[in-house]
Amino acid sequence: ILFATLGEIITEKSGILNLGLEGIMLIGALTGFSITLSSGNPWLGIMGAFFMGAFLTLIHGFISITLKGNQVVSGLAMTIFGTGVSSLMGKAFIGKTIPGLLKTPFPVLNRIPILGQIFFNHDPLVYCSFFLIIFLTWFFISTRIGLNLRAVGDSPRAADAMGLNVNRIRYLAVFIGGGIIALGGAYLSVAYNKMWAESMTAGRGWIAVALVIFAIWNPTRAALGAYL
């Protein structure tokens, strides 16, 4: 849920609404599982899920940015498409399992009473999510690229007058945001369940959409909401 929420925050910061999280997560889950099953390397599966989600989201970006289409309709179509395609192509993987990502206790920190078991006794993707929260908080506030991204989302005309390439920034945000959303799905099949099941996201994509609003587009608040 946290990965999907953070990916959507990046997308919406650029002024693009994506309601296709559920479908993108399912495509990410299927891609991550299938690549891990065939290669035996969960990190290859996770990377494959990221790029598959990112490229799939570019379709939504093309409709919303270049064609100026209805973002809500396009996002819902992404959900329908992802759900249908993952169900169809995932039939061959039902009942199969993979070793996936294993728990990797964080040295020293996992020995801290109570907090050590809560925060530092997980698989590497959980630790990556901790880093992502900190990085995005810093990125949006303290970097020129992050400020430009916020400017494009807040006022594209003003950003264009400043000399920023609004479409290019939005495409980049959609691409990266879509990849991170897909990581949320890959986590389910590669690290959490270590198997593929039809519609295994079970509405988590919609929960992530709600969390973006709850978090007021703030990565730290998104983390609090996801953990809650």
Side-chain angles (χ1 to χ4, degrees), residues 38-53:
S38 60
S39 68
N41 188 334
W43 289 109
L44 283 180
I46 291 167
M47 289 176 58
F50 177 91
F51 285 106
M52 180 62 74

